[in-house]
Amino acid sequence: MKYGKIVKVAGPLIVAEGMSDDNMFDVVHVGKQRLIGEIIEMRGGNASIQVYEETAGISVGDEVAATGAPLSVELGPGMIGTIYDGIQRPLEEIRNLVGSSITRGISVPSISRDKKWNFVPSVKAGDKVVAGDIIGTVQETSVVNHKIMVPVGVEGVVEEIKAGDFIVTDTVCVLKTAQGKKELSMMQKWPVRVERPYKEKLPPDIPMITGQRIIDTFFPIAKGGTAAVPGPFGSGKTVVQHQLAKWSDVDIVIYVGCGERGNEMTDVLMEFPELKDPRTGESLMQRTVLIANTSDMPVAAREASVYTGITIAEYFRDMGYSVALIADSTSRWAEALREMSGRLEEMPGEEGYPAYLTSRLAQFYERAGSVVCLGSDNRTAALSAIGAVSPPGGDISEPVSQATLRIVKVFWGLDSALAYARHFPAINWLNSYSLYDDRLSNWYNTKIGKVFTANKQAAMQLLQLESELNEIVRLVGIDALSPGDRLSMEVARTMREDFLQQNAFSDTDSYTSLEKQMGLMDLILHYGQVARNAINNGADLQKVISIPARDQIGRAKDIDQAIYKEEYAKITKNIDDQIAKLTQEGGER
């Protein structure tokens, strides 16, 4: 191992001389405690090192040991259900070793070297395999069948394949390659800053169903798509992220808590094991990897946590799974970039952020996508990336928000006014958008029916009309509106309060299937249509908007998924009967 000497210490930035043989992004160990660092700049023989742990006590003259390898993650069975820090150290293992505080410089394998896994071969001796081919499987959890793949850059003929119980470093397959024999274990390593390869990128055309009505109906994200959730403090970014992690119809969820408060990660750790996946009936932790890099941890480690998360996500994508990466929040990651840029004395960009902020964000989001994976079976998979953005004061004109919006295709804009009014999720339906709408319309028309798209357009027109009528009401009062316009405002209020609002902490309302979403919207629009006909035929407006069936519409979202069709049919009949009676009374007058 080669050594350099520290000549400068500036917080998480260390400068060491005598490092001319090392490369950018190589990992080094700093000082006697062997703190983990990464080379982020080379000037001659001097290396600027970003240290991922607290540097108190490190001084000029201390040694820096070069490893000659880039910052990498270990990939193999044992990751699902694990809680890692930003540089893939397993926090539970560390707690078992040293207690509740992470000892600086502690080194623990990311994947247990003691646990044995049952390896079931998928190939036999004599088979020819290429990079990405599946040589065997391990049942990692009750819902995740971990596929062991031939590493990138390796191909050959299977000379020997074993079956049975092994630890991740044991040899399970021997290949005869052009370069000689190659032993394969169940574990791979991959540098976090390098995108994992694939055969082909596909246009994303299948929606990622989240169970959140405002998202699935009005602003859908495609599997393999990118989305941003910007919003001010207290507007519900983290709850939206949690809901997406809990209920999205993906096979694997990678949740990265990047610089957020510790109590928010605690919520995830406490809730996920208790919650049941609506598709499998198993605990959500059976398909989740958590990366907990909270705000009290070193700032520099925030950058690593995002790359660690996306690399693990790509690995599961390569198996053929649909994966969602949830990053909360990319603003904290950008703050880490800003701090290191300042310490490197680089020319600052807008608001002190580095000039390369946009390109770094783009490199992250562009690793998402729907792809044809490596391997001879041409399996397809998708990696969706969703990032929260925390602009100071909720001002999305700041650099991180603007750079993100130029890259992502879905914008779920959170509104502090809605949050203060206790309207959650506080996604503003007039400002938000999804650029996947046209691409996904064919799927919706085929699977749900064209009436879904027609209803969605009618509902959005109603909400936009309400916004325009509100301007008139503020100026001259509601009495200036015609009965038809007053009815439009009432139906729009029902749409807002009974469809767009959703209680994340209610067992029946936290998740709504796409079919139930369509049924609920149909109920509201049906009421609007028959009520309008009744008013045109002389019915009293006040009586029409006060019928008992409206209260039933308000409670309809809490009806259990198993019986909602029968109950919605009853409510529809009640609407028709009650308004028909009012129409008859109006005609008699």
Side-chain angles (χ1 to χ4, degrees), residues 50 52 193 256-260 293 299-308 310 325 327-341 353-354 356-367 387-390 400 404 407:
Q50 178 172 253
Y52 292 130
R193 294 179 185 273
V256 183
C258 177
E260 288 302 292
N293 193 74
V299 171
R302 295 176 188 175
E303 187 188 11
S305 64
V306 172
Y307 289 116
T308 297
I310 195 89
L325 175 85
D328 188 11
S329 86
T330 54
S331 292
R332 307 283 176 258
W333 172 39
E335 284 169 8
L337 291 178
R338 178 165 63 182
E339 174 165 342
M340 296 312 297
S341 175
Y353 288 101
Y356 47 78
L357 171 67
T358 303
S359 68
R360 288 286 176 88
L361 283 167
Q363 284 168 12
F364 165 65
Y365 281 109
E366 284 171 7
R367 288 172 75 167
V389 186
S390 312
V400 182
T404 304
I407 298 159

Side-chain angles (χ1 to χ4, degrees), residues 255-534:
Y255 188 94
V256 183
C258 177
E260 288 302 292
R261 290 170 291 282
N263 59 327
E264 292 174 351
M265 280 308 299
T266 303
D267 285 345
V268 175
L269 302 179
M270 298 296 285
E271 282 181 21
F272 276 36
E274 304 297 324
L275 289 167
K276 296 288 181 282
D277 187 334
R279 296 186 305 149
T280 63
E282 299 289 338
S283 165
L284 285 167
M285 283 303 288
Q286 299 282 301
R287 63 180 181 99
T288 304
V289 179
L290 297 176
I291 297 172
N293 193 74
T294 53
S295 50
D296 63 337
M297 293 180 177
V299 171
R302 295 176 188 175
E303 187 188 11
S305 64
V306 172
Y307 289 116
T308 297
I310 195 89
T311 307
I312 293 172
E314 286 176 335
Y315 173 68
F316 283 107
R317 176 208 67 192
D318 290 347
M319 296 181 197
Y321 289 128
S322 175
V323 186
L325 175 85
I326 315 284
D328 188 11
S329 86
T330 54
S331 292
R332 307 283 176 258
W333 172 39
E335 284 169 8
L337 291 178
R338 178 165 63 182
E339 174 165 342
M340 296 312 297
S341 175
R343 292 186 185 279
L344 287 168
E345 299 174 2
E346 295 173 337
M347 182 68 74
E350 191 179 354
E351 292 189 22
Y353 288 101
Y356 47 78
L357 171 67
T358 303
S359 68
R360 288 286 176 88
L361 283 167
Q363 284 168 12
F364 165 65
Y365 281 109
E366 284 171 7
R367 288 172 75 167
S370 180
V371 304
V372 178
C373 306
L374 290 181
S376 46
D377 59 355
N378 287 325
R379 58 190 179 274
T380 58
L383 166 53
S384 311
I386 300 153
V389 186
S390 312
D395 176 19
I396 63 166
S397 65
E398 58 88 41
V400 182
S401 301
Q402 289 302 305
T404 304
L405 292 182
R406 285 197 290 272
I407 298 159
V408 300
K409 297 286 175 56
V410 179
F411 168 57
W412 297 317
L414 298 175
D415 191 325
S416 56
L418 289 173
Y420 294 147
R422 294 292 178 264
H423 178 112
F424 292 105
I427 296 173
N428 188 312
W429 50 90
L430 299 176
N431 296 342
S432 302
Y433 60 81
S434 169
L435 299 181
Y436 294 114
D437 249 349
D438 291 342
R439 196 178 291 280
L440 298 176
S441 59
N442 188 51
W443 187 93
Y444 278 104
N445 291 340
T446 305
K447 300 286 184 182
I448 310 295
K450 292 186 178 179
V451 68
F452 183 84
T453 305
N455 281 356
K456 166 179 155 180
Q457 289 169 348
M460 186 53 77
Q461 285 169 1
L462 192 65
L463 292 165
Q464 287 169 340
L465 176 62
E466 182 200 30
S467 177
E468 294 165 12
L469 292 174
N470 270 330
E471 295 295 325
I472 298 170
V473 170
R474 277 194 283 268
L475 288 171
V476 293
I478 197 163
D479 294 334
L481 297 181
S482 67
D485 284 345
R486 288 180 66 180
L487 176 66
S488 293
M489 291 197 71
E490 284 295 324
V491 179
R493 181 167 71 87
T494 302
M495 186 67 70
R496 281 190 289 106
E497 295 177 357
D498 302 334
F499 187 85
L500 298 183
Q501 269 187 281
Q502 194 164 352
N503 187 350
F505 303 101
S506 161
D507 290 341
T508 49
D509 196 30
S510 182
Y511 174 88
T512 307
S513 70
L514 210 51
E515 292 78 11
K516 187 179 173 184
Q517 292 181 40
M518 181 179 171
L520 182 56
M521 182 185 285
D522 202 44
L523 208 58
I524 296 167
L525 292 175
H526 177 74
Y527 162 72
Q529 187 59 52
V530 295
R532 191 170 303 279
N533 292 340

Side-chain angles (χ1 to χ4, degrees), residues 184-253:
L184 303 183
S185 68
M186 291 188 283
M187 188 184 81
Q188 301 183 15
K189 275 196 166 189
W190 191 265
V192 297
R193 294 179 185 273
V194 178
E195 182 178 9
R196 284 180 65 88
Y198 48 82
K199 275 188 183 174
E200 181 188 353
K201 207 163 214 177
L202 304 171
D205 54 7
I206 299 173
M208 187 176 88
I209 306 303
T210 66
Q212 310 309 298
R213 291 187 290 271
I214 188 167
I215 292 175
D216 292 343
T217 300
F218 292 109
F219 312 112
I221 177 175
K223 284 186 177 177
T226 53
V229 195
F233 174 79
S235 60
K237 289 186 299 298
T238 299
V239 174
V240 169
Q241 296 275 72
H242 288 191
Q243 288 296 94
L244 295 172
K246 289 172 189 174
W247 307 123
S248 297
D249 69 331
V250 292
D251 301 307
I252 309 287
V253 172

Side-chain angles (χ1 to χ4, degrees), residues 134-186:
I134 296 163
I135 58 170
T137 58
V138 169
Q139 194 66 43
E140 186 170 356
T141 70
S142 57
V143 296
V144 176
N145 193 24
H146 195 112
K147 299 168 185 177
I148 308 301
M149 297 171 288
V150 177
V152 174
V154 176
E155 63 176 86
V157 176
V158 177
E159 192 169 272
E160 182 187 355
I161 185 91
K162 302 175 184 176
D165 295 338
F166 305 97
I167 62 171
V168 291
T169 52
D170 286 342
T171 299
V172 294
C173 179
V174 179
L175 293 186
K176 188 176 182 182
T177 71
Q179 293 77 35
K181 288 188 179 181
K182 176 78 175 175
E183 295 182 344
L184 303 183
S185 68
M186 291 188 283

